[in-house]
């Protein structure tokens, strides 16, 4: 998926859309909350895992694309087609660790 510089994926306080894990292939992403910048992410980083277990809830941070950015996206429905409901996961971070030995092709 390609995002343009200045585009937003989720905005803090608004309903979460596009649940999934985003793997940055090229570009730069900034995560922001009401206190300021959380972090800047670049090629090789990922974000979004914390949203997997949230349904119709408000985003707790803003995701802003600081440059034209290309991401591989593993969306919630694709994950659930492999493992069942994400509700059985301990934490989104542990799920990402489980994926560390897999490629995106393993999930097709």
């Amino acid at each position: 998926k390609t995002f343009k510089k200045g585009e937003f994926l989720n905005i803090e306080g608004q309903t979460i859309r596009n649940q999934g894990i985003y793997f940055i292939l090229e570009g730069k992403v900034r995560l922001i909350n009401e206190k300021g910048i959380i972090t800047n992410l670049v090629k090789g980083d990922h974000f979004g895992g914390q949203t997997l277990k949230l349904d119709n809830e408000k985003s707790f941070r803003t995701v802003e694309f600081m440059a034209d950015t290309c991401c591989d996206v593993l969306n919630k429905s694709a994950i659930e087609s492999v493992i069942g409901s994400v509700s059985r996961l301990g934490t989104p971070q542990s799920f990402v660790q489980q994926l560390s030995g897999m490629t995106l092709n393993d999930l097709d």
Side-chain angles (χ1 to χ4, degrees):
K1 176 129 176 115
T2 303
F3 301 93
K4 297 286 185 192
K5 178 180 179 179
E7 192 173 343
F8 294 89
L9 181 65
N10 287 314
I11 297 176
E12 184 176 17
Q14 294 185 6
T15 301
I16 294 171
R17 54 191 171 92
N18 304 312
Q19 289 174 292
I21 302 174
Y22 292 75
F23 300 91
I24 302 170
L25 303 175
E26 293 292 334
K28 184 176 180 181
V29 178
R30 179 171 286 165
L31 304 181
I32 308 163
N33 67 14
E34 64 185 21
K35 296 179 183 178
I37 297 170
I38 299 169
T39 192
N40 291 309
L41 304 172
V42 295
K43 180 179 179 177
D45 291 332
H46 66 275
F47 64 95
Q50 296 87 351
T51 67
L52 292 174
K53 292 175 66 175
L54 305 175
D55 289 317
N56 298 315
E57 294 189 36
K58 306 290 184 202
S59 181
F60 52 89
R61 65 179 173 205
T62 297
V63 177
E64 180 180 7
F65 297 93
M66 303 305 294
D68 289 351
T69 301
C70 182
C71 296
D72 270 341
V73 181
L74 189 55
N75 64 34
K76 183 176 181 177
S77 61
I79 293 166
E80 289 185 327
S81 74
V82 174
I83 66 163
S85 174
V86 294
S87 65
R88 66 189 204 115
L89 298 173
T91 63
Q93 292 81 2
S94 66
F95 175 69
V96 170
Q97 292 168 352
Q98 292 173 23
L99 285 178
S100 64
M102 299 176 73
T103 67
L104 293 177
N105 291 334
D106 294 330
L107 300 173
D108 284 340

